[in-house]
Amino acid sequence: MDTATHIVMGVSLAGLATLDPVVQSDPALFNAVLIGTIVGSHAPDFDTVFKMKDNATYIRHHRGASHSIPAIIMWGLLVSGVIYLFAPEVSFLHLWLWTFLAVIIHVTVDLFNAYGTQALRPFSSKWIAKGFINTFDPYIFSLNVVGIIAWTLGANPAYTWITIYSVIILYYIKRYLDKREIVNKIKEHFPDTLEIATSPTLKQNYWRVAITTKERFYVGKVENRHIEIVDEFKKIPLPDLPIIDVAKTDDNIAAFLNFSPVYRWEINEFDNYTEVRLIDLRYRSNDYYPFVAVVKISPELEIISSYTGWIFSEHKLQRKLYASDFV
């Protein structure tokens, strides 16, 4: 989920924590728990610091090790431990429990969008992306905000938070059923389907889909339960060529391949270089595929420049590549 949603979920969890008799009876503990749930609800995303280095490092590591099982345990202990240093009079057990729960909820809700996480590390490095909740869902965000407002105005915390969380759980179930219906319809039309990547949008009735069959990729949209295929590509693996071997050694290309399971490739010849371009098919928007990895390679098979990330125009992509030519 996005940062704003994680933060309001942290505040909401602090409201729920007032149902804990120990937290309710100790104002100092409540303040510590409030800080713990807010920070804990955002802590796994501290890996955004990798973006300060470059996009390749960020893409390779974001929602990876920071969202793993060891990291969940580490974040809970680290955040609550730091807070406890400044408030040693409070119950560490209750502070840790609510902070730890905030971290768990963060990683859990991130599983349900199209980006996903590597939450099963170290047992599996597979990306888990259920793809039925948008990264920013206005309904989930609004429900949490409504609960916070009602709680601060004096509403009974038990009734308030049990109601809010019950509605959110029902909403998740509804969105799961929406996705299941889409998947079943796609499989009816494409019996040889191997994988389906679904990407919900801000509109409840509009989804993006990328379908992998034995021989082809299909890119489509679902609007009001009607599926429309808008692009189709023959499924061709990366060729066994020297230039591809060189491209794979580039950090940007390697990060893309580590993250993107559904992509097509292009090799474009120019006067002074060859361009290898990988295009993720899951995020088509306004007739454009914004998530790409591109590398320029000289006739001597040396890497000139490269880039990976979200780009929404060819002009901006070429500017990025041109700038890195001189790095």
Side-chain angles (χ1 to χ4, degrees), residues 12-13 15-19 98 143-144 147-148 150-151 155-170:
S12 297
L13 191 58
L16 186 66
T18 60
L19 302 182
W98 287 104
L143 282 167
N144 278 281
I148 292 168
W151 170 51
N156 183 289
Y159 294 141
T160 299
W161 296 114
I162 289 173
T163 300
I164 294 295
Y165 278 96
S166 295
V167 172
I168 289 175
I169 290 170
L170 289 173

Side-chain angles (χ1 to χ4, degrees), residues 274-286:
T274 299
E275 177 193 272
V276 177
R277 180 178 299 210
L278 308 181
I279 305 160
D280 195 303
L281 301 179
R282 295 174 295 172
Y283 308 112
R284 186 178 186 272
S285 177
N286 297 323

